[in-house]
Amino acid sequence: MATINAADVAKLRRMTLAGMMDCKKALEEADGNFDKAIEIIRKKGQAVANKRADREAGEGVVLSKASADGKLGVMMVLNSETDFVAKNSDFLALANKILDVALAKNPSNLEALLALPVEGTKIGDKIVEYIGIIGEKLDLSYFEKIEAAHVQAYIHPGNRLATLVGFTKAGLDIQMYKDIAMQIAAMNPVAIDKNDVSEKVISQEMEIGKEQARRDGKPEEMLEKIAQGKLIKFFKENTLLNQDFVKDNKMTIRQYLGSSSK
C-alpha cells in the first residue's frame, strides 16, 4: 500500500479543490494513484448530485462579460442552493472560468456550453465535480450571447444582477455604453422603444388601465381614453429610449444618446 504524505494530499487538493480529508481518503483508496484519486472524487460528486437532484437551487450568481474587441458578449447564471455558497470563492472561481470559456469559444447555446472543456473536463462534468466538493446542488441554468458593433457588459455589485447590451454603433464614448448598461440594470425596460412592445403586452396594459379606471368609478365611455393615457405613461416608464436617464432625469435616454452626435 502506498504511503500518503501531506505533500500528496496538498497536490490533489490543488488539482481538485476537494477538502483535505476527502483528498487523503481518495489517495488511500487509489493506492496513491492521482488519476484514480481524481476519478474517485468525481464519482463522489455524481453521488452527491444524485442525492440532491430534487433540491431547489434558487441562489447563485449572474455574470456577464464582453470580449476585448467589444464585438461579443456572454451572460450566464450559475445557481446554488444557498447564498452562503454563492459567495464562496471556489464557487465564484468556477463561475468565472465557465464565463471565460463561453467568451473564448462562443458556443451556440447552453447545451453546447456544457459540453465544452474546462481544465480538461466537460463543463457539465466539472459542475458535478464541484457538487461533491461544495456539497450543494449547482446548476448552470442560463446562457445567452450577443454579437454587435459594440457589446457592453455590466455586473451589479453582489453578482445578483447583470446586463448585456448590443449597440449598432461603435466608437462612442465608453462611458455612454456603460451608462446604458447600468440604466437597463436599474430600470428594467421591457423594450427599446414603444414600437418594440408586443401587442400582447399592449393589450394587457390597456385592460389593466380600463379595469383601474372602472374601479375608480369612471364612466364606461371614458375607459378607452383613460387607458390610452395610462399606456403612454407605461411606454415612458418601461421603454429604454423614453425612460428618464437615471443619472440626469432632465433628459431621456433618447436625448442622452442623441447628445453623442453633438
Side-chain angles (χ1 to χ4, degrees), residues 7-191:
D8 291 334
V9 174
K11 179 181 177 181
L12 186 60
R13 160 67 179 165
R14 289 194 298 272
M15 294 170 69
T16 64
L17 295 180
M20 296 296 281
M21 287 305 298
D22 287 335
C23 289
K24 184 174 185 293
K25 290 177 181 178
L27 282 167
E28 288 174 346
E29 186 177 337
D31 200 21
N33 185 298
F34 276 84
D35 289 338
K36 288 183 179 179
I38 291 171
E39 186 61 27
I40 288 167
I41 288 171
R42 286 177 177 166
K43 287 181 178 178
K44 178 189 175 185
Q46 184 62 64
V48 174
N50 291 339
K51 288 180 180 179
R52 305 188 76 82
D54 60 344
R55 297 293 187 98
E56 181 180 353
E59 297 292 337
V61 294
V62 186
L63 303 177
S64 61
K65 192 173 184 178
S67 58
D69 65 3
K71 305 300 183 185
L72 170 68
V74 294
M75 176 184 284
M76 51 157 275
V77 177
L78 183 63
N79 292 112
S80 62
E81 292 181 35
T82 65
D83 182 57
F84 177 77
V85 165
K87 295 176 180 177
N88 177 279
S89 60
D90 290 341
F91 177 84
L92 287 170
L94 172 64
N96 278 289
K97 286 175 186 175
I98 295 172
L99 189 71
D100 287 340
V101 170
L103 196 60
K105 299 298 184 180
N106 192 13
S108 57
N109 52 38
L110 177 58
E111 184 178 1
L113 175 58
L114 287 167
L116 288 174
V118 60
E119 299 178 338
T121 304
K122 289 181 179 179
I123 287 173
D125 294 336
K126 179 62 72 173
I127 291 171
V128 171
E129 187 178 317
Y130 268 66
I131 291 173
I133 295 167
I134 292 175
E136 282 194 9
K137 179 180 179 179
L138 308 180
D139 180 29
L140 186 62
S141 61
Y142 178 86
F143 168 73
E144 191 55 81
K145 64 177 183 176
I146 291 177
E147 296 179 73
H150 180 86
V151 179
Q152 185 65 46
Y154 169 74
I155 303 175
H156 193 67
N159 300 318
R160 302 296 297 270
L161 172 66
T163 57
L164 190 65
V165 192
F167 294 84
T168 58
K169 184 178 180 180
L172 301 181
D173 184 337
I174 188 64
Q175 187 59 51
M176 183 165 282
Y177 293 129
K178 291 179 179 179
D179 284 341
I180 298 304
M182 292 177 67
Q183 172 83 19
I184 292 170
M187 300 303 293
N188 192 28
V190 301

Side-chain angles (χ1 to χ4, degrees), residues 221-235:
E221 62 270 19
M222 293 291 294
L223 298 186
E224 183 75 19
K225 184 177 181 180
I226 292 171
Q228 285 288 349
K230 290 181 179 293
L231 184 62
I232 292 171
K233 183 180 179 182
F234 173 84
F235 289 147

